[in-house]
Amino acid sequence: MVNFPHGFWNMGGFWMYVWPAYAVAFVVMALNVAAAYWPDKDDRNGSGE
Amino acid sequence: MLLRKFSAPKTFYPLAGKLMPWFFWTFAVLGAVGLYWGLVLAPVDAVQGQAYRIMYVHVPSAWMSMMIYTSMTAAAIAALIWRTKVAELWLLCSPALGASFTFITLVTGSLWGKPMWGAYWVWDARLTSELVLLFIYFAILAMKSAIPDRRKAARVMAMITVVGFVNIPIIKFSVDWWTTLHQGDSIFRKGGPSIAPSMLIPLFMTALSFTSYYFWLVLKRIRTMIEKTENERKTA
């Protein structure tokens, strides 16, 4: 772990800012996959109801 | 002629089905390698410390927010001039993905801004124009929800998209035209990139991964919409 001079658990801002940024991106991208593969049932059959 | 052939939903549907796995695997493999490289292998930045690692999600998202809008503008022009069905479908299926990437760009940028600038948000030209892009995406999505007839919705969406395109060069050149807190171009600039290759290569990997993610999902959405239209025709 040469790239973490402050230690893995104290990575100078990693847990404060970097980790939440990736979490937001992961959640939004996962929601888009869900929306594409499991669309709203009413919408899917095209009945418009 | 070839373009006309593939712009018919009947031809486009199987082609999209064949392309989807390629885009999915490019997204998955390059995303995994790029993130491991960017988060673990790439060295710590001399000035920004660990916080610069937000770049691997922020920069590709920002590129995508503009790239998706540009592809929508091309589709909008084709939809308005030639009423191409696949262009209309592309326009109907893209804005949700574009808005998502714009949202990711704004949130991750804000999380990067706090340790670097001391503030989550500033009314800087780059940040403000990106926020305007999010609102344009919302306006396009609102038209999609408000107009039940898909072809009519696509025409209105196309008009808004073409008008809203004026914002794309404003975002791109905002850092050159105005004095901004946001940094200037560090990759596509005169004299080559100012980022070391050990940090730049994983950035290109995640960028290509995000691009593949968009194509994978937009093709999936278009296929679902073609199926939906076929069902409507059968039940009508």
Coordinates of all heavy atoms in Angstrom, one line a residue, chain A residues 5-37:
Chain A
P5 N 0.2 6.8 2.1 CA 1.2 7.2 3.1 C 0.6 7.4 4.5 O 1.3 7.3 5.5 CB 1.9 8.4 2.6 CG 1.0 9.0 1.6 CD 0.2 7.9 1.0
H6 N -0.7 7.8 4.5 CA -1.3 8.1 5.8 C -2.0 6.8 6.4 O -2.7 6.9 7.4 CB -2.4 9.2 5.7 CG -1.8 10.4 5.0 ND1 -0.9 11.2 5.6 CD2 -2.1 11.0 3.8 CE1 -0.6 12.2 4.8 NE2 -1.3 12.1 3.7
G7 N -1.8 5.7 5.7 CA -2.5 4.5 6.2 C -3.8 4.3 5.4 O -4.4 5.3 5.0
F8 N -4.2 3.1 5.3 CA -5.4 2.8 4.5 C -6.7 3.4 5.1 O -7.6 3.8 4.4 CB -5.6 1.3 4.4 CG -6.7 0.9 3.3 CD1 -6.4 1.0 2.0 CD2 -7.9 0.5 3.7 CE1 -7.3 0.7 1.0 CE2 -8.9 0.2 2.7 CZ -8.6 0.3 1.4
W9 N -6.8 3.5 6.4 CA -8.0 4.0 7.1 C -8.0 5.5 7.3 O -8.9 6.0 7.8 CB -8.2 3.2 8.4 CG -8.4 1.8 8.1 CD1 -7.5 0.8 8.4 CD2 -9.6 1.1 7.5 NE1 -8.1 -0.4 7.9 CE2 -9.3 -0.2 7.4 CE3 -10.8 1.6 7.1 CZ2 -10.2 -1.1 6.9 CZ3 -11.7 0.7 6.5 CH2 -11.4 -0.6 6.5
N10 N -6.9 6.1 7.0 CA -6.8 7.5 7.2 C -6.2 8.2 6.0 O -5.1 8.7 6.0 CB -6.0 7.8 8.5 CG -6.0 9.3 8.8 OD1 -6.8 10.1 8.3 ND2 -4.9 9.8 9.5
M11 N -7.0 8.1 4.9 CA -6.3 8.5 3.6 C -6.6 10.0 3.2 O -6.9 10.3 2.1 CB -6.8 7.6 2.6 CG -6.3 6.2 2.8 SD -6.7 5.1 1.4 CE -8.3 4.7 1.7
G12 N -6.4 10.8 4.2 CA -6.4 12.3 3.8 C -7.5 12.7 2.9 O -7.3 13.1 1.8
G13 N -8.8 12.5 3.4 CA -9.9 13.0 2.6 C -10.6 11.9 1.8 O -11.6 12.1 1.2
F14 N -10.0 10.7 1.8 CA -10.6 9.6 1.0 C -12.0 9.3 1.5 O -12.9 9.2 0.7 CB -9.7 8.4 1.0 CG -10.2 7.3 0.0 CD1 -9.7 7.3 -1.2 CD2 -11.1 6.4 0.4 CE1 -10.1 6.3 -2.1 CE2 -11.5 5.4 -0.5 CZ -11.0 5.4 -1.7
W15 N -12.1 9.1 2.8 CA -13.4 8.6 3.3 C -14.4 9.8 3.5 O -15.6 9.6 3.4 CB -13.2 7.9 4.7 CG -12.4 6.7 4.5 CD1 -11.2 6.4 4.9 CD2 -12.8 5.5 3.8 NE1 -10.8 5.2 4.5 CE2 -11.8 4.6 3.8 CE3 -14.0 5.2 3.1 CZ2 -11.8 3.4 3.2 CZ3 -14.0 3.9 2.5 CH2 -13.0 3.0 2.5
M16 N -13.8 11.0 3.6 CA -14.7 12.1 3.7 C -15.4 12.5 2.4 O -16.5 12.8 2.3 CB -13.9 13.4 4.2 CG -13.8 13.5 5.7 SD -15.4 13.9 6.5 CE -15.4 15.6 6.1
Y17 N -14.6 12.5 1.3 CA -15.1 13.0 0.0 C -15.1 12.0 -1.1 O -16.0 12.0 -1.9 CB -14.3 14.2 -0.4 CG -14.3 15.3 0.7 CD1 -13.2 15.6 1.5 CD2 -15.5 16.0 0.9 CE1 -13.2 16.5 2.5 CE2 -15.5 17.0 1.9 CZ -14.4 17.3 2.7 OH -14.5 18.2 3.7
V18 N -14.0 11.2 -1.3 CA -13.9 10.3 -2.4 C -14.9 9.2 -2.3 O -15.7 9.0 -3.3 CB -12.5 9.7 -2.5 CG1 -12.4 8.8 -3.8 CG2 -11.5 10.9 -2.6
W19 N -15.0 8.6 -1.2 CA -15.9 7.4 -1.1 C -17.4 7.8 -1.3 O -18.1 7.2 -2.1 CB -15.7 6.8 0.3 CG -16.7 5.7 0.6 CD1 -16.4 4.4 0.2 CD2 -17.9 5.7 1.2 NE1 -17.5 3.6 0.6 CE2 -18.4 4.4 1.2 CE3 -18.7 6.7 1.8 CZ2 -19.7 4.1 1.8 CZ3 -19.9 6.4 2.4 CH2 -20.4 5.1 2.3
P20 N -17.9 8.9 -0.7 CA -19.3 9.3 -1.0 C -19.5 9.6 -2.5 O -20.6 9.3 -3.0 CB -19.5 10.5 -0.2 CG -18.5 10.5 0.9 CD -17.3 9.8 0.3
A21 N -18.5 10.2 -3.2 CA -18.7 10.5 -4.6 C -18.9 9.2 -5.4 O -19.8 9.2 -6.3 CB -17.4 11.2 -5.1
Y22 N -18.1 8.2 -5.1 CA -18.3 6.9 -5.8 C -19.6 6.3 -5.4 O -20.3 5.6 -6.3 CB -17.1 6.0 -5.5 CG -15.9 6.3 -6.4 CD1 -15.0 7.3 -6.0 CD2 -15.8 5.8 -7.6 CE1 -14.0 7.7 -6.8 CE2 -14.7 6.1 -8.5 CZ -13.8 7.1 -8.0 OH -12.8 7.5 -8.8
A23 N -20.1 6.4 -4.2 CA -21.3 5.8 -3.7 C -22.5 6.4 -4.5 O -23.4 5.7 -5.0 CB -21.5 6.0 -2.2
V24 N -22.5 7.7 -4.6 CA -23.6 8.4 -5.4 C -23.6 7.9 -6.8 O -24.7 7.6 -7.4 CB -23.4 10.0 -5.3 CG1 -24.3 10.7 -6.3 CG2 -23.6 10.5 -3.9
A25 N -22.4 7.9 -7.5 CA -22.4 7.5 -8.9 C -22.8 6.0 -9.0 O -23.6 5.7 -9.9 CB -20.9 7.6 -9.4
F26 N -22.4 5.2 -8.1 CA -22.8 3.8 -8.2 C -24.3 3.6 -8.0 O -25.0 2.9 -8.8 CB -22.1 3.0 -7.1 CG -22.4 1.5 -7.1 CD1 -21.7 0.7 -8.0 CD2 -23.4 1.0 -6.3 CE1 -22.0 -0.7 -8.0 CE2 -23.7 -0.4 -6.3 CZ -23.0 -1.2 -7.2
V27 N -24.9 4.3 -7.1 CA -26.4 4.2 -6.9 C -27.2 4.7 -8.1 O -28.1 4.0 -8.6 CB -26.8 5.0 -5.6 CG1 -28.3 5.1 -5.5 CG2 -26.2 4.2 -4.3
V28 N -26.8 5.9 -8.6 CA -27.5 6.5 -9.7 C -27.4 5.5 -11.0 O -28.4 5.3 -11.7 CB -27.0 7.9 -10.1 CG1 -27.6 8.4 -11.3 CG2 -27.3 8.8 -8.9
M29 N -26.2 5.0 -11.2 CA -26.0 4.1 -12.3 C -26.7 2.8 -12.2 O -27.3 2.3 -13.1 CB -24.5 3.9 -12.6 CG -23.8 5.2 -13.1 SD -22.0 5.0 -13.2 CE -21.8 4.2 -14.8
A30 N -26.8 2.3 -10.9 CA -27.5 1.1 -10.7 C -29.0 1.3 -10.9 O -29.7 0.5 -11.5 CB -27.3 0.6 -9.3
L31 N -29.5 2.5 -10.5 CA -31.0 2.8 -10.7 C -31.3 2.9 -12.2 O -32.4 2.4 -12.6 CB -31.3 4.1 -10.0 CG -31.4 4.1 -8.5 CD1 -31.6 5.5 -8.0 CD2 -32.6 3.3 -8.1
N32 N -30.3 3.4 -13.0 CA -30.6 3.4 -14.5 C -30.6 2.0 -15.1 O -31.4 1.8 -16.0 CB -29.5 4.2 -15.1 CG -29.9 5.7 -15.2 OD1 -30.9 6.0 -15.8 ND2 -29.0 6.6 -14.7
V33 N -29.8 1.1 -14.6 CA -29.9 -0.3 -15.0 C -31.2 -0.9 -14.7 O -31.9 -1.5 -15.5 CB -28.7 -1.1 -14.4 CG1 -28.8 -2.6 -14.8 CG2 -27.4 -0.6 -14.9
A34 N -31.7 -0.6 -13.5 CA -33.0 -1.1 -13.0 C -34.1 -0.6 -13.9 O -35.0 -1.3 -14.3 CB -33.2 -0.8 -11.5
A35 N -34.0 0.7 -14.2 CA -35.1 1.4 -15.0 C -35.1 0.8 -16.4 O -36.2 0.7 -17.0 CB -34.8 2.9 -15.0
A36 N -33.9 0.5 -16.9 CA -33.9 -0.1 -18.3 C -34.3 -1.5 -18.4 O -35.0 -1.9 -19.3 CB -32.5 0.1 -18.9
Y37 N -34.0 -2.3 -17.3 CA -34.3 -3.8 -17.4 C -35.6 -4.1 -16.7 O -36.2 -5.2 -17.1 CB -33.1 -4.6 -16.8 CG -32.0 -4.8 -17.8 CD1 -31.1 -3.9 -18.1 CD2 -32.0 -6.0 -18.6 CE1 -30.1 -4.1 -19.1 CE2 -31.1 -6.2 -19.6 CZ -30.1 -5.2 -19.8 OH -29.2 -5.4 -20.8

